[in-house]
Amino acid sequence: MAEKEQFEEKLMFLSQIAGELAHELKNPLSTIGLNIQLLIEDCKEQQESEKTIKRLDRIKLEVDRLDRLLNDFLKIIRGYKLEPVKIELNHLIEEILIFLEPEATRKNIRILPIYSKAKLIVNVDRNQMKQAIINVILNSIQATHSNGDIFIKIYKREKDAVIEIIDTGCGIKKENLNKIFDPFFTTKENGTGLGLAATKRIIEEHAGSIKVFSEQGKGTQFLIFIKSHSGN
């Protein structure tokens, strides 16, 4: 028991150090990003070569990626300060799909929602839960080929509201299935490996859960469970 407590204390200490380091990196990184953007605008005004502007754009993309990585890492390390409000789940999903429509259209992917007939009320932090669900649907969009489909079903199962996301994408290798929620695990070339880890943390802090089932070459199914506060 003493060894376990010592391990947890060390882990907490390392997490605190990592969190402080990430926080210290964010400020200069934001400054670098801002100055690169100003430099890009100056180059365009002065009609610098296309090659120079493309190189600056690439640097800006990498700085933005690092900034997102640090944001996600800090949230995973420090947790989330939740400000829950009661909202109707159908409405929340509608907002998310409006936001994601351009990305799905760009890839020529159809998102097909099946909303709950009954009003499902959940008590969640709107912004955090919205981001968690966006992360999952974006993952499905990225895994689905052009002309593919993503089905989103909202329904009640016992005391939980359920969000079921099914894609017709490439699926997940069996050996990777139990790793996809691990921080920094990714099979994507430009992925941070923190999106789904952050999603899991957010859902669990709402006392919910997330499950995944997948078959390589056939697609993936995510199930998100959140306690329902509906009267029926």
Side-chain angles (χ1 to χ4, degrees), residues 3-217:
E3 286 184 5
K4 184 180 178 182
E5 288 175 356
Q6 285 178 359
F7 174 77
E8 288 178 350
E9 283 180 8
K10 286 180 180 177
L11 188 62
M12 189 179 296
F13 175 72
L14 288 172
S15 296
Q16 184 178 355
I17 294 296
E20 290 301 323
L21 178 60
H23 180 73
E24 289 301 317
L25 288 171
K26 268 191 65 60
N27 290 334
L29 196 63
S30 297
T31 302
I32 291 168
L34 177 61
N35 279 280
I36 291 172
Q37 184 59 49
L38 292 172
L39 189 56
I40 290 170
E41 291 171 9
D42 287 345
C43 286
K44 287 178 179 178
E45 285 179 6
Q46 295 170 21
Q47 297 182 337
E48 292 286 344
S49 71
E50 192 76 18
K51 191 175 181 180
T52 300
I53 293 171
K54 281 184 178 179
R55 283 178 176 171
L56 289 171
D57 281 335
R58 180 63 184 172
I59 294 170
K60 181 68 166 57
L61 284 173
E62 289 301 315
V63 169
D64 289 345
R65 187 177 72 86
L66 287 172
D67 188 55
R68 289 195 303 272
L69 188 150
L70 286 173
N71 281 330
D72 287 341
F73 179 72
L74 282 169
K75 286 176 181 177
I76 291 169
I77 288 292
R78 296 178 175 176
Y80 300 82
K81 184 180 178 182
L82 301 180
E83 298 179 0
V85 293
K86 289 185 178 180
I87 56 177
E88 189 175 348
L89 190 55
N90 281 349
H91 291 166
L92 183 64
I93 299 301
E94 283 175 354
E95 287 179 19
I96 290 169
L97 296 189
I98 289 169
F99 174 75
L100 290 174
E101 185 180 3
E103 181 65 17
T105 301
R106 187 182 68 81
K107 284 196 68 180
N108 200 24
I109 291 170
R110 293 189 304 169
I111 297 182
L112 306 168
I114 303 172
Y115 294 105
S116 169
K117 292 181 181 178
K119 184 183 287 187
L120 288 181
I121 306 298
V122 290
N123 192 33
V124 297
D125 184 300
R126 176 185 287 271
N127 291 332
Q128 299 294 352
M129 186 56 67
K130 199 171 180 178
Q131 187 58 57
I133 298 168
I134 284 172
N135 287 345
V136 177
I137 300 175
L138 267 179
N139 191 81
S140 290
I141 290 173
Q142 290 163 0
T144 302
H145 300 299
S146 180
N147 297 315
D149 294 324
I150 297 173
F151 301 91
I152 300 176
K153 303 177 184 178
I154 295 88
Y155 54 91
K156 188 173 182 181
R157 181 184 292 178
E158 296 179 355
K159 294 183 179 180
D160 290 326
V162 182
I163 306 162
E164 185 174 357
I165 300 161
I166 304 169
D167 67 55
T168 55
C170 57
I172 302 167
K173 290 181 180 179
K174 191 175 181 180
E175 62 266 28
N176 291 337
L177 203 53
N178 63 346
K179 301 176 187 175
I180 65 167
F181 296 114
D182 292 349
F184 300 109
F185 175 79
T186 182
T187 58
K188 300 170 189 172
E189 186 179 347
N190 295 315
T192 65
L194 291 176
L196 289 180
T199 288
K200 188 172 187 286
R201 178 76 183 259
I202 292 169
I203 291 168
E204 288 179 349
E205 291 206 356
H206 282 87
S209 63
I210 181 169
K211 295 180 180 179
V212 59
F213 304 92
S214 187
E215 188 173 346
Q216 195 173 4

